[in-house]
Amino acid sequence: MATVTRRELVGGAAGRRRRGVDVCVVGAGLAGLTAARELTRRGRSVVVFEARDRVGGRTLNHPIGGGKIAEAGGQFVGPTQDRVLALSKALKVPTFPTWNSGKNVYFRNGKRTLFDADGPLGAIPPDPDAVGDLLQAVTKLDGIAKTIPVDAPWKAPDAAALDGQTFETWLRANMTTEGGRFLNDSAAESIWGFDPHEASLLFVCWYIRVAGNEQTLGSLLRIVNVKDGAQERRFVGGSQTLSLKMARALGGRVVLDTPVREIVQRGRGVFVRSDTTAINAKRVIVAIPPALAGRIDYEPGMPPARDQLTQRMPMGALLKCEAVYPAPFWRAAGLSGQAVSDRSPMKVTYDNSPPDAKPGVLFGFIGGDDARTWAAKSAATRKAAVLAGFATYFGEAARRPRAYFEQNWTKEEWSRGCPVGFTPPGVLTEYGPAIRTRVGRIHWAGTETSTYWNGYMDGAVRSGERAAAEVVRAGL
């Protein structure tokens, strides 16, 4: 059987050849589509190659009947997330408030306690064994975060010390109560999809620092809260609608089922190849998580720092489990649908009903070590455990949903996890500068490259805008 050499492939055809373009964008999530949209508006020719059979990346609308959806991926938006809110306004995708009325549930050590959803502590349960310890830790973490440059955490005054320890190490030295550490661990699993022993303290404090905008310092409470926080609002019609609308406007420029396998820089251009399509471009924007970007073959090869970074930046482990009911029965019982629990598998829940509350939807996160444990169990076992948890928090009616679905992001070939790529100890200080540094004609986008709201939809949009501007400044 005859083989095809790289020279013949680059010089000839690889499946269906397309005409050349100014920019090839790899990835049709919010970052890639935003970049393509910005470049098209500036008169550049663009093609977007997307590995999946859909757009939206880590956002995904799941139909629940009657033309309604529930989000199976990223969904929340809040104050200081200016760029995704500006995009939604431009695309005419309105927002609506996340349901935050009634009592939240706190379930720990077999005891169920209710507290006000919009009380002075926000989403933090008023556990006397935990709240004081947690709040002093939050104050310390916010204080460290203030010292970290948003665009270069590796230049923080104590970067080496912060990056030389895990988040868990710091917690053991700075928190004194079991309850405080439990609340922190529960938040980490749902925010990042990891347990504190997996990530560096520098990464966590930098992530807190960038949970704001150019005028507003980031804070951990803004990350965890609904009111005035990152969970404050949702998009009417679902968050994937943003990507669907951008893709619709871009039309044939978006090519689905096209995983990019190879990027070759040569002369004054770049050759991009998938299994079925190949194209010549002047520049490329790679808008996928670093863990996936590292799986592409590059010629010439990546600089060592970039190659090592993508080997050391895993994705979080997160499952999102949802139950659909004829109506949100918990609201009638005076409950918000929000819970924090030490009961496995899901430690954090929310009301995920559509704006008119028809039907009612609850969802829970399974993250970190729990995600790995429960992903190995049968679907029936997971479902039974999830519904039992909902029943414990909100009442026996939760055992009888009209539908149930879950999204295991660790099994998504073109995500490999969710919600965000993170760095273990030593990675940011050694390899962090490579996260946005372009390599020849290759530019990097994706929420993991953002200097504000890293890991969120806003960070994805910001990164796409930044990468498009870089391409233009480079003289294209």
Side-chain angles (χ1 to χ4, degrees):
M1 180 177 179
T3 60
V4 180
T5 67
R6 184 187 300 273
R7 181 182 300 276
E8 290 170 331
L9 181 63
V10 172
R16 180 165 58 91
R17 285 297 293 270
R18 299 174 62 89
R19 63 180 178 80
V21 294
D22 291 329
V23 184
C24 176
V25 177
V26 181
L30 278 168
L33 292 172
T34 296
R37 179 174 182 266
E38 290 296 312
L39 289 166
T40 301
R41 290 170 60 190
R42 299 184 192 200
R44 274 64 173 186
S45 58
V46 177
V47 68
V48 182
F49 285 167
E50 167 56 46
R52 293 179 172 91
D53 60 359
R54 63 171 182 84
V55 300
R58 284 166 269 178
T59 62
L60 177 61
N61 292 347
H62 183 92
I64 55 175
K68 307 290 182 63
I69 66 91
E71 299 94 337
Q75 65 180 72
F76 294 120
V77 65
T80 73
Q81 296 187 5
D82 308 313
R83 299 317 305 155
V84 71
L85 288 170
L87 176 65
S88 70
K89 183 177 181 180
L91 296 174
K92 295 182 171 54
V93 180
T95 65
F96 69 101
T98 301
W99 183 258
N100 195 44
S101 298
K103 300 287 188 179
N104 285 8
V105 174
Y106 181 47
F107 188 88
R108 180 169 172 251
N109 295 331
K111 181 181 178 182
R112 179 177 178 268
T113 304
L114 304 182
F115 65 99
D116 288 335
D118 58 354
L121 296 177
I124 298 175
D127 184 338
D129 177 48
V131 67
D133 193 25
L134 181 65
L135 290 177
Q136 65 84 23
V138 167
T139 300
K140 289 180 181 178
L141 290 167
D142 281 359
I144 297 171
K146 291 178 183 178
T147 70
I148 299 176
V150 295
D151 59 346
W154 45 89
K155 293 183 179 179
D158 297 319
L162 297 173
D163 208 31
Q165 60 184 299
T166 66
F167 188 26
E168 174 75 13
T169 302
W170 186 90
L171 293 172
R172 289 183 178 274
N174 288 272
M175 299 189 75
T176 60
T177 66
E178 180 185 348
R181 287 192 292 268
F182 154 68
L183 289 177
N184 181 86
D185 291 357
S186 298
E189 290 174 9
S190 60
I191 293 168
W192 295 291
F194 61 59
D195 287 271
H197 66 266
E198 298 181 76
S200 93
L201 178 60
L202 179 60
F203 173 83
V204 169
C205 291
W206 171 72
Y207 199 93
I208 294 169
R209 173 65 179 89
V210 303
N213 59 16
E214 291 80 357
Q215 295 78 40
T216 310
L217 284 172
S219 74
L220 184 52
L221 290 182
R222 185 177 299 117
I223 291 175
V224 302
N225 277 337
V226 175
K227 184 180 180 181
D228 299 324
Q231 284 70 237
E232 187 175 78
R233 305 187 71 82
R234 295 165 56 200
F235 291 109
V236 175
S239 53
Q240 191 188 6
T241 303
L242 299 173
S243 293
L244 292 169
K245 284 200 167 189
M246 284 192 287
R248 194 172 299 122
L250 289 166
R253 300 178 184 91
V254 179
V255 186
L256 302 179
D257 295 307
T258 307
V260 168
R261 306 296 187 184
E262 183 180 47
I263 298 176
V264 180
Q265 298 192 69
R266 53 173 187 168
R268 303 171 68 88
V270 189
F271 177 81
V272 183
R273 179 185 67 83
S274 77
D275 294 337
T276 58
T277 303
I279 196 166
N280 290 303
K282 297 175 182 176
R283 291 189 177 270
V284 172
I285 295 175
V286 177
I288 56 179
L292 293 181
R295 294 170 181 250
I296 297 173
D297 288 332
Y298 300 91
E299 186 178 311
M302 286 289 104
R306 173 72 195 183
D307 187 47
Q308 293 289 307
L309 175 69
T310 57
Q311 293 181 51
R312 288 167 165 79
M313 199 166 178
M315 298 296 291
L318 199 68
L319 285 76
K320 194 172 183 182
C321 304
E322 311 202 34
V324 183
Y325 303 90
F329 63 87
W330 52 94
R331 296 187 186 182
L335 300 176
S336 67
Q338 296 171 47
V340 177
S341 172
D342 64 356
R343 175 174 176 154
S344 190
M346 53 181 188
K347 308 279 180 66
V348 176
T349 74
Y350 290 93
D351 181 322
N352 205 30
S353 307
D356 62 359
K358 299 177 182 178
V361 184
L362 288 170
F363 86 77
F365 285 126
I366 307 177
D369 288 341
D370 281 340
R372 289 180 280 272
T373 298
W374 283 88
K377 299 180 184 295
S378 70
T381 299
R382 274 194 310 276
K383 177 181 178 180
V386 168
L387 295 181
F390 285 148
T392 297
Y393 310 149
F394 307 116
E396 284 300 306
R399 295 185 189 274
R400 300 180 296 276
R402 79 178 196 192
Y404 172 87
F405 65 96
E406 59 184 33
Q407 181 72 16
N408 182 352
W409 287 96
T410 66
K411 294 180 68 174
E412 283 281 311
E413 181 181 5
W414 305 114
S415 293
R416 300 286 175 171
C418 204
V420 64
F422 65 93
T423 57
V427 176
L428 273 178
T429 47
E430 291 293 329
Y431 308 107
I435 190 68
R436 286 182 300 277
T437 301
R438 68 182 176 94
V439 179
R441 295 175 175 271
I442 302 174
H443 303 254
W444 312 104
T447 190
E448 284 83 6
T449 72
S450 183
T451 55
Y452 286 104
W453 284 109
N454 191 284
Y456 289 77
M457 292 184 286
D458 187 71
V461 172
R462 287 175 182 269
S463 77
E465 292 174 340
R466 188 242 331 135
E470 276 183 14
V471 166
V472 173
R473 285 198 303 271
L476 182 60

